[in-house]
C-alpha cells in the first residue's frame, strides 16, 4: 500500500521530532553534568586521547543538528547530519564491544540505564529512522512542489555513512597508539579488574610482604623480625613460624626477611649481612659473606645479590652485583641511576625482582621514571610512568659542613608502591591524572599497570581504603593481588582483563 504525501510528511515530521528530542536531551544532559561527561569521555577506551576537544564538539554538534532539524528549509541537512552522527555513535559502541581492551561505564542520563548491547540496538534503530526520513524527504520532493529539492542524495548518504564509520576507526587506532605509548596523563579504568575476596585484621600495621611460594603469602614484621606469618591464597589458613637464629652481638638495626621459594633470607644493610636458610625448618644455616653496606638488597640465590649502596661519588646511590664465586665479588654500575640533584634523595626508589623473567625493575619515588635491568644490573631500557613529573620536586639541605644531608621540605612523591609479576608492572601513583574525580582519590589508592614487554601503559584500577586505613604495600601473583591496608590484609581476585595480559618476557 502506497502512502499519501500527507502521511509521509507526518512520518517525516515524527522522525525529525524524535531526533530533536534525543539530541536536545543528550546535549543538555552532557552540559549540565559537564564534569561527569568529561571524566567518562576521558576514560573512554576509544577517545581518551582526544577527550579535551571532543567533549565540546559533541554537545555543540548535537544542538546544531537540532537547529537544522527544526528549520524546514534545512531539515534534509539535519537528517543527513543525524544519520552521520548516530552512525559514528553506533560504530563507537561496536568497537567498544568487540575490539576495545575493556568496556567502560555507560553514558550518563537516561541512556545510562541501558546496557551496551541495548544501546547498540537503540542507535541502529535511530540510524534506520534517519535513513527512512531521508528517503521520505527525497520521495516527497519529487511529488510535491511545496518541498525544495534535497541537496543530499541517497548515494551521498551511503558514502557519508561509510566515511563516518571510517572516521571512528581512525580515531580508535590513533587514540590507542597515543594512550599506550605517548600517554598525555589520562588513565583508563576498566570495570572490575580486581575483585575483593576477603580481609583479615592483623592487629598491627608493622607487617610487610616477605614473599610468596606454592600458593602461600608470607608476612614479616619490623617490630618482631624473627616471626613470620604465612597465609594460604584465600587467607583461610594461617601459620606462624619463628626463625631459629642466634645473632650473638651483631648490631642489627633494621632486619628484613625475604622468602623466595624454599629459601628465606635475613638481611640488614647497616651491619651489613645476609643470612639464609630453608623454609622447611626456618633455621639460619649460612651467611653470604663479603658484602658492603647496602640500602636495598635482592638476593638472587645463596651466592648472588643485587644491591643498592651509597658507594657512588659524593656518597650517591649506586647499583652493584655480588657473586661469591667470581673475583672481584662486587661489580658496580655507576650509569644505572641518573642523578638530578644530589644523587641520594633524587635517586631514591623501590627495587622489585621477578624470578620468572629474571629482571629487576627500579621505580623512582620522586619522578616519572623506572628502569629495567638484568641480573648483572645491565640496563635493558628506561621507561616512564604516565604522569608528567620528570624531575624530582625536592629540596636538599646540607648540615654539619656538608657532611649530612636532609630533605629541606616535604617532597612530592610520584610513585609510592610497586609490584611486578611476569611482564606486568604495577605502580601505586600519588599524582592525579586528567579527567579524574577527586572523590575517587579520597577513597582509594590508584594502581597503574604497565606492560614491560610492549613498553606500554595498559590500565589503572583503585584499591579502596578500609575505613580510614590506606594502602601500605601490595603484591601480585598469577591469580591474586594481596594488599596491606593499615593493619588489614586483603586479597583480591585478578579478573580476566588482567590475567590475559600476563605473558612471559622472552
Amino acid at each position: 500500500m502506497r502512502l499519501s504525501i500527507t502521511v509521509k510528511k507526518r512520518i517525516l515530521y515524527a522522525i525529525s521530532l524524535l531526533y530533536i528530542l534525543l539530541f536536545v536531551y543528550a546535549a543538555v544532559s552532557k552540559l549540565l553534568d559537564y564534569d561527569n561527561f568529561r571524566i567518562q569521555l576521558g576514560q573512554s577506551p576509544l577517545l581518551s586521547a582526544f577527550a579535551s576537544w571532543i567533549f565540546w564538539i559533541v554537545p555543540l554538534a548535537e544542538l546544531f543538528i537540532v537547529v537544522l532539524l527544526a528549520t524546514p528549509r534545512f531539515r534534509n541537512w539535519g537528517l543527513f547530519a543525524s544519520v552521520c552522527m548516530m552512525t559514528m555513535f553506533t560504530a563507537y559502541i561496536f568497537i567498544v564491544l568487540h575490539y576495545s581492551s575493556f568496556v567502560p561505564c555507560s553514558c550518563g542520563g537516561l541512556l545510562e540505564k541501558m546496557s551496551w548491547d541495548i544501546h547498540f540496538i537503540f542507535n541502529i534503530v535511530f540510524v534506520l529512522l534517519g535513513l527512512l526520513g531521508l528517503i521520505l524527504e527525497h520521495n516527497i520532493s519529487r511529488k510535491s512542489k511545496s518541498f525544495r529539492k534535497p541537496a543530499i542524495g541517497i548515494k551521498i548518504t551511503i558514502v557519508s555513512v561509510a566515511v563516518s564509520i571510517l572516521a571512528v576507526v581512525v580515531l580508535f587506532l590513533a587514540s590507542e597508539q597515543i594512550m599506550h605509548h605517548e600517554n598525555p596523563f589520562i588513565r583508563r579504568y576498566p570495570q572490575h579488574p580486581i575483585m575483593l575476596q576477603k580481609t583479615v585484621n592483623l592487629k598491627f600495621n608493622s607487617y610487610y610482604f616477605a614473599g610468596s611460594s606454592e600458593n602461600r603469602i608470607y608476612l614479616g614484621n619490623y617490630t618482631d623480625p624473627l616471626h613470620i606469618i604465612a597465609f594460604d591464597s584465600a587467607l583461610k589458613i594461617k601459620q606462624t613460624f619463628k626463625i631459629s637464629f642466634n645473632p650473638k652481638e651483631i648490631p642489627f638495626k633494621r632486619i628484613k626477611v625475604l622468602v623466595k621459594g624454599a629459601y628465606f633470607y635475613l638481611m640488614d644493610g647497616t651491619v651489613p649481612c645476609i643470612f639464609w636458610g630453608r623454609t622447611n625448618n626456618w633455621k639460619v644455616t649460612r651467611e653470604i659473606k663479603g658484602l658492603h653496606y647496602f640500602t636495598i638488597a635482592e638476593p638472587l640465590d645463596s651466592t648472588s645479590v643485587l644491591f643498592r649502596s651509597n658507594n657512588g661519588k659524593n656518597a650517591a646511590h649506586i647499583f652493584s652485583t655480588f657473586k661469591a664465586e667470581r673475583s672481584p665479588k662486587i661489580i658496580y654500575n655507576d650509569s644505572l641511576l641518573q642523578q638530578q640533584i644530589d644523587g641520594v634523595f633524587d635517586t631514591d626508589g623501590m627495587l622489585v625482582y621477578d624470578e620468572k623473567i629474571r629482571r629487576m625493575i627500579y621505580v623512582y619515588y620522586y619522578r616519572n621514571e623506572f628502569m629495567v635491568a638484568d641480573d648483572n644490573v645491565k640496563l635493558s631500557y628506561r621507561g616512564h610512568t604516565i604522569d608528567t613529573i620528570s624531575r624530582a620536586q625536592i629540596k636538599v639541605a646540607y648540615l654539619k659542613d656538608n657532611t649530612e644531608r636532609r630533605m629541606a621540605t616535604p617532597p612530592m612523591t610520584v610513585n609510592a608502591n610497586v609490584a611486578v609479576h611476569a611482564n606486568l608492572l604495577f605502580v601505586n601513583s600519588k599524582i592525579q591524572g586528567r579527567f579524574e574525580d577527586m572523590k575517587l582519590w579520597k577513597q582509594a589508592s590508584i594502581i597503574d599497570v604497565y606492560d614491560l614487554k610492549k613498553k606500554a601503559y595498559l590500565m589503572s584500577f583503585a584499591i579502596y581504603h578500609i575505613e580510614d586505613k590506606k594502602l601500605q604495600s601490595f603484591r601480585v601473583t598469577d591469580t591474586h593481588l594481596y594488599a596491606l591496608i593499615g593493619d588489614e590484609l586483603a586479597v583480591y581476585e585478578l579478573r580476566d582483563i588482567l590475567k590475559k595480559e600476563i605473558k612471559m618476557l622472552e
Side-chain angles (χ1 to χ4, degrees), residues 267-480:
M267 308 179 293
D268 189 336
T270 65
V271 174
C273 66
I274 297 180
F275 297 91
W276 62 275
R278 293 180 177 271
T279 56
N280 61 354
N281 57 21
W282 294 96
K283 291 182 179 180
V284 169
T285 57
R286 300 285 180 87
E287 179 183 2
I288 301 177
K289 297 181 179 181
L291 288 167
H292 288 173
Y293 292 95
F294 57 84
T295 52
I296 297 177
E298 183 74 32
L300 305 182
D301 52 45
S302 60
T303 62
S304 303
V305 183
L306 299 174
F307 66 93
R308 188 193 72 184
S309 66
N310 291 111
N311 290 330
K313 185 178 180 181
N314 296 323
H317 284 144
I318 188 171
F319 265 104
S320 317
T321 58
F322 171 92
K323 293 190 176 181
E325 72 278 5
R326 76 181 176 196
S327 182
K329 293 182 178 181
I330 298 176
I331 295 179
Y332 295 94
N333 184 338
D334 58 4
S335 64
L336 201 58
L337 294 173
Q338 295 183 320
Q339 180 176 333
Q340 292 183 335
I341 300 171
D342 70 323
V344 177
F345 294 120
D346 64 333
T347 58
D348 200 6
M350 300 159 285
L351 173 66
V352 287
Y353 181 82
D354 191 279
E355 292 180 326
K356 293 183 178 180
I357 63 174
R358 298 192 67 82
R359 294 289 190 278
M360 61 158 276
I361 299 92
Y362 188 78
V363 181
Y364 290 102
Y365 279 126
Y366 308 121
R367 56 176 123 156
N368 64 347
E369 186 178 339
F370 63 88
M371 53 192 176
V372 182
D374 62 15
D375 291 353
N376 296 309
V377 293
K378 290 184 179 179
L379 182 68
S380 297
Y381 73 92
R382 299 185 189 275
H384 291 87
T385 53
I386 60 174
D387 62 89
T388 57
I389 313 299
S390 60
R391 185 171 178 83
Q393 306 295 306
I394 62 174
K395 290 184 179 180
V396 181
Y398 293 88
L399 309 174
K400 298 180 181 180
D401 297 326
N402 292 333
T403 60
E404 181 180 324
R405 69 188 95 188
R406 293 182 182 177
M407 289 281 198
T409 59
M412 176 187 287
T413 301
V414 176
N415 305 305
N417 293 287
V418 64
V420 64
H421 183 69
N423 61 304
L424 297 187
L425 177 66
F426 300 78
V427 179
N428 172 206
S429 175
K430 303 295 285 186
I431 307 298
Q432 184 177 350
R434 299 171 65 191
F435 315 122
E436 292 182 8
D437 192 345
M438 177 58 73
K439 293 180 181 178
L440 176 64
W441 281 80
K442 292 179 179 179
Q443 299 171 353
S445 297
I446 305 304
I447 310 297
D448 299 326
V449 186
Y450 302 87
D451 190 321
L452 298 174
K453 186 174 184 178
K454 297 179 181 178
K455 302 180 182 179
Y457 164 74
L458 295 180
M459 68 185 78
S460 300
F461 59 86
I463 296 180
Y464 285 88
H465 306 329
I466 298 177
E467 298 174 350
D468 60 345
K469 305 167 188 176
K470 299 181 180 180
L471 179 70
Q472 290 182 306
S473 60
F474 64 100
R475 191 176 184 92
V476 182
T477 66
D478 285 333
T479 55
H480 294 87

Side-chain angles (χ1 to χ4, degrees), residues 54-337:
I54 287 180
F55 64 66
W56 284 112
I57 287 180
V58 171
L60 292 178
E62 289 172 336
L63 292 176
F64 179 70
I65 291 173
V66 167
V67 173
L68 294 178
L69 290 170
T71 308
R73 182 177 179 180
F74 300 111
R75 183 175 293 135
N76 187 249
W77 283 99
L79 287 170
F80 171 76
S82 298
V83 170
C84 291
M85 178 73 79
M86 292 305 295
T87 298
M88 295 179 77
F89 290 162
T90 306
Y92 169 83
I93 295 175
F94 182 83
I95 294 173
V96 164
L97 291 173
H98 296 88
Y99 298 100
S100 171
S101 57
F102 68 94
V103 178
C105 297
S106 301
C107 300
L110 179 64
L111 302 182
E112 188 176 12
K113 306 298 181 182
M114 297 182 184
S115 68
W116 281 96
D117 290 320
I118 298 299
H119 204 160
F120 180 68
I121 296 172
F122 177 88
N123 284 9
I124 288 179
V125 170
F126 266 85
V127 170
L128 294 176
L129 285 175
L131 291 173
L132 176 60
L134 286 171
I135 293 172
L136 289 174
E137 178 136 7
H138 183 76
N139 185 266
I140 290 171
S141 67
R142 295 174 59 186
K143 298 181 180 181
S144 175
K145 295 182 180 180
S146 61
F147 271 67
R148 296 173 59 87
K149 183 178 180 181
I152 304 166
I154 301 301
K155 291 182 179 179
I156 295 177
T157 301
I158 294 173
V159 171
S160 299
V161 167
V163 171
S164 299
I165 295 173
L166 180 61
V168 176
V169 173
V170 170
L171 282 174
F172 166 62
L173 295 175
S175 182
E176 286 293 282
Q177 172 65 25
I178 292 171
M179 287 298 296
H180 289 308
H181 300 283
E182 305 167 27
N183 191 289
F185 202 12
I186 301 174
R187 289 189 171 91
R188 289 181 165 179
Y189 292 93
Q191 297 185 57
H192 313 304
I194 61 173
M195 183 66 69
L196 179 63
Q197 289 187 315
K198 187 178 180 179
T199 62
V200 174
N201 187 273
L202 301 172
K203 298 183 180 179
F204 301 99
N205 63 0
S206 54
Y207 286 97
Y208 62 90
F209 287 110
S212 60
S213 64
E214 297 180 355
N215 296 319
R216 277 186 176 182
I217 192 80
Y218 294 94
L219 301 180
N221 192 319
Y222 287 117
T223 60
D224 191 5
L226 296 184
H227 279 84
I228 300 294
I229 295 177
F231 287 91
D232 69 329
S233 59
L235 304 188
K236 293 180 179 180
I237 301 174
K238 175 183 176 182
Q239 293 177 291
T240 302
F241 304 100
K242 183 177 181 180
I243 296 174
S244 179
F245 178 54
N246 181 11
K248 299 179 181 179
E249 296 181 356
I250 299 175
F252 290 115
K253 291 183 179 179
R254 190 170 179 84
I255 296 175
K256 186 174 182 179
V257 176
L258 179 66
V259 180
K260 304 185 76 169
Y263 298 89
F264 72 90
Y265 300 86
L266 188 149
M267 308 179 293
D268 189 336
T270 65
V271 174
C273 66
I274 297 180
F275 297 91
W276 62 275
R278 293 180 177 271
T279 56
N280 61 354
N281 57 21
W282 294 96
K283 291 182 179 180
V284 169
T285 57
R286 300 285 180 87
E287 179 183 2
I288 301 177
K289 297 181 179 181
L291 288 167
H292 288 173
Y293 292 95
F294 57 84
T295 52
I296 297 177
E298 183 74 32
L300 305 182
D301 52 45
S302 60
T303 62
S304 303
V305 183
L306 299 174
F307 66 93
R308 188 193 72 184
S309 66
N310 291 111
N311 290 330
K313 185 178 180 181
N314 296 323
H317 284 144
I318 188 171
F319 265 104
S320 317
T321 58
F322 171 92
K323 293 190 176 181
E325 72 278 5
R326 76 181 176 196
S327 182
K329 293 182 178 181
I330 298 176
I331 295 179
Y332 295 94
N333 184 338
D334 58 4
S335 64
L336 201 58
L337 294 173

